[in-house]
Amino acid sequence: MGSSILPDLGAEILIPVCAVIGIAFSLVQWLLVSKVKLSPGRDSGSPGNNGAGGKNGYSDYLIEEEEGLNDHNVVIKCAEIQTAISEGATSFLFTEYQYVGIFMVAFAVLIFLFLGSVEGFSTKSQPCTYDKSKMCKPALATAIFSTVSFLLGAVTSVVSGFLGMKIATYANARTTLEARKGVGKAFITAFRSGAVMGFLLAANGLLVLYIAINLFKLYYGDDWGGLFEAITGYGLGGSSMALFGRVGGGIYTKAADVGADLVGKVERNIPEDDPRNPAVIADNVGDNVGDIAGMGSDLFGSYAESSCAALVVASISSFGINHELTPMLYPLIISSVGIIVCLITTLFATDFFEIKAVKEIEPSLKRQLIISTVLMTIGIGIVSWVALPSSFTIFNFGDQKAVKNWQLFLCVAVGLWAGLIIGFVTEYYTSNAYSPVQDVADSCRTGAATNVIFGLALGYKSCIIPIFSIAISIFVSFSFAAMYGIAVAALGMLSTIATGLAIDAYGPISDNAGGIAEMAGMSHRIRERTDALDAAGNTTAAIGKGFAIGSAALVSLALFGAFVSRAAISTVDVLTPKVFIGLLVGAMLPYWFSAMTMKSVGSAALKMVEEVRRQFNTIPGLMEGTAKPDYATCVKISTDASIKEMIPPGALVMLTPLIVGIFFGVETLSGVLAGSLVSGVQIAISASNTGGAWDNAKKYIEAGASEHARTLGPKGSEPHKAAVIGDTIGDPLKDTSGPSLNILIKLMAVESLVFAPFFATHGGLLFKIF
């Protein structure tokens, strides 16, 4: 078998050191962003300054720019708008977290009661699950520690989302001001801010998980099976918060967006983000709470779950049985190296290459993905050579499978490269530089109906290559290393999470920057620059969603494997009626969930449209720009609607595994999990890409950059109106239903794994009665 080259002490030092480097790097990036001042002249206490920025009250160097020297009014206006957006986002998240906090405590109690009751709350040691000849810690310990790790995961997820939102609202106006110096400066500010969020989240997730494992080890000692079973609660906590963040934030942002677009652009013919539009602040707040806070929590959840799934399987393989610490921590070492790789990659965007023209933005972001993937492949190779013995065994549904370290390297690498392929296919289908989106834009000539038909077809077609990529990576990784292979393939896809998140957060920050430029009445040239940043951001956001969906598919399959092992099911036989009815119901769940979230956006948007119309009709001087709209009412409509509407979809996802497990047993539940995974991935990919394509088809017509685009434009033309309608239909698809579905498939799987001991002992009540 042999032992690993890296000693245990080396692994114990490497992981926290890499996490601390990640946190330090994000703070350095934040300091660089904060050098852009939001206070004209010596006025260091200006609004929106957040106490960082105007500390050294000397004159602001930013005002001497090319257009309108020392235009103090613009800076003050930007600061005011930024404060309004920041306050709106903060108050929404606090309201959301109050509701989610109640749920968190209630669910923690459920975990404790269900898992504690497996052995009747006994404090005696019990035979181990996978080796009855040894004695392990009591089920009550698993209940207590699973509850603690659930709360830890939930709090880390909430903090990740909140910090991301704070950084984004801090950077949006600074990006606008830097756009006056040129597109390159604005790009670096937006990208650095995204990097702050990416590195904070990756490093925090890793550090908290590592500390939790070490603290739990003080009690569990040599019972590694029990220890890592209790750690799975961390993934459950992370994803359950992400679900509410994604659904709540998604409903908020799209209600405001649809309301602002339908009345502002289509009915009143005013530009996007026009300050006369009452829903404009709510729309910009929505970008931060949905796309940033929601995405942050979502990817943190994927990361936590793939780590937990790998650790659970490893703990019952030779690593865990022989207590080899370094190979046991292999999933965490991959993530640690990922932070260092992403750090080097980020410098390519901010320090090594300077962007001088608009056309360089998108290639620069794509370069980030390629560089990080290539460097990470080398990193994984080194880690697999140093941290793993040359051969070992992996648990495979009751047997131990012999595996070599180079096979595990291939498992991680195949996940990593599948992520890159999914990213590029998504970009091909959603960027207006390629023919699919241009065809959708062209179909607007004959009205909204053809636009919708073309857009739907594009979304369905865009599933083909990503699904083959996921299928190949599943086949390769399972053939080499069983379920552990699939878990580390998911980790491979998420190993460059810091770069992925930086690219993803860059989009909403640029979007906000454009909105602030429009509202502050800045010149047309600056709006053109922020629009260019935003169009690239739209595509990168679609790439980010592709990564999230691809990794969710692999993660939930790995969790499914861990669940099947833990619930002691030898095979999942589709031909038994118990399993087949589960498959059918599971495949239906993503549709039910999407229906709920889309209807929620529709009904919230309806209220928003009525309110915006009311203000245009009743406030004299609003259209002329002499009166100010009532922004606060629109913010309140979005907040109230999203808090109320996020509960039913959340309850559907959280309660389904519990109801099925308790009443129908583990076989039916395994069917439900498989069904929801298979159908959820397809709907998620097609919904995200359809919405992204419609959005960029509209932007393609608006930009009028090519001869073809100019024949469809300008803004306000009939084809443009058709494109706006397509974009509005796509909004809930790409920002609410699509991204939330990947949480649905992961969350049901991780929840089933956490409750597996209870389901295996007491589940299937209906079948026991009859």
Side-chain angles (χ1 to χ4, degrees), residues 360-503:
E360 293 171 20
I361 300 171
E362 217 164 293
S364 174
L365 292 167
K366 277 159 68 176
R367 213 167 31 230
Q368 286 284 300
L369 289 174
I370 297 166
I371 294 168
S372 63
T373 305
V374 171
L375 291 178
M376 194 63 211
T377 309
I378 300 163
I380 295 165
I382 296 167
V383 168
S384 306
W385 175 56
V386 171
L388 294 172
S390 56
S391 67
F392 42 89
T393 63
I394 293 291
F395 183 84
N396 179 24
F397 300 119
D399 305 319
Q400 292 286 347
K401 179 185 173 83
V403 180
K404 301 264 189 294
N405 58 1
W406 62 267
Q407 291 175 310
L408 213 48
F409 158 70
L410 285 177
C411 293
V412 188
V414 84
L416 178 68
W417 284 89
L420 186 72
I421 291 167
I422 292 172
F424 278 146
V425 170
T426 308
E427 193 230 6
Y428 173 72
Y429 278 106
T430 56
S431 166
N432 54 26
Y434 303 104
S435 61
V437 172
Q438 292 174 6
D439 290 346
V440 172
D442 193 61
S443 71
C444 293
R445 287 176 193 283
T446 46
T450 40
N451 180 24
V452 170
I453 294 167
F454 270 70
L456 287 172
L458 176 145
Y460 296 149
K461 197 175 170 189
S462 70
C463 295
I464 300 168
I465 297 171
I467 294 296
F468 276 118
S469 306
I470 294 169
I472 291 166
S473 44
I474 288 170
F475 182 77
V476 170
S477 47
F478 191 85
S479 306
F480 282 147
M483 276 300 169
Y484 187 69
I486 292 173
V488 291
L491 259 179
M493 206 178 271
L494 291 166
S495 57
T496 52
I497 183 173
T499 296
L501 259 172
I503 291 174

Side-chain angles (χ1 to χ4, degrees), residues 136-157:
C136 284
K137 300 289 184 206
L140 190 63
T142 307
I144 293 167
F145 284 100
S146 293
T147 308
V148 171
S149 59
F150 167 75
L151 292 170
L152 259 180
V155 169
T156 312
S157 178

Side-chain angles (χ1 to χ4, degrees), residues 499-518:
T499 296
L501 259 172
I503 291 174
D504 204 69
Y506 153 87
I509 292 170
S510 308
D511 192 356
N512 258 210
I516 291 172
E518 183 74 49

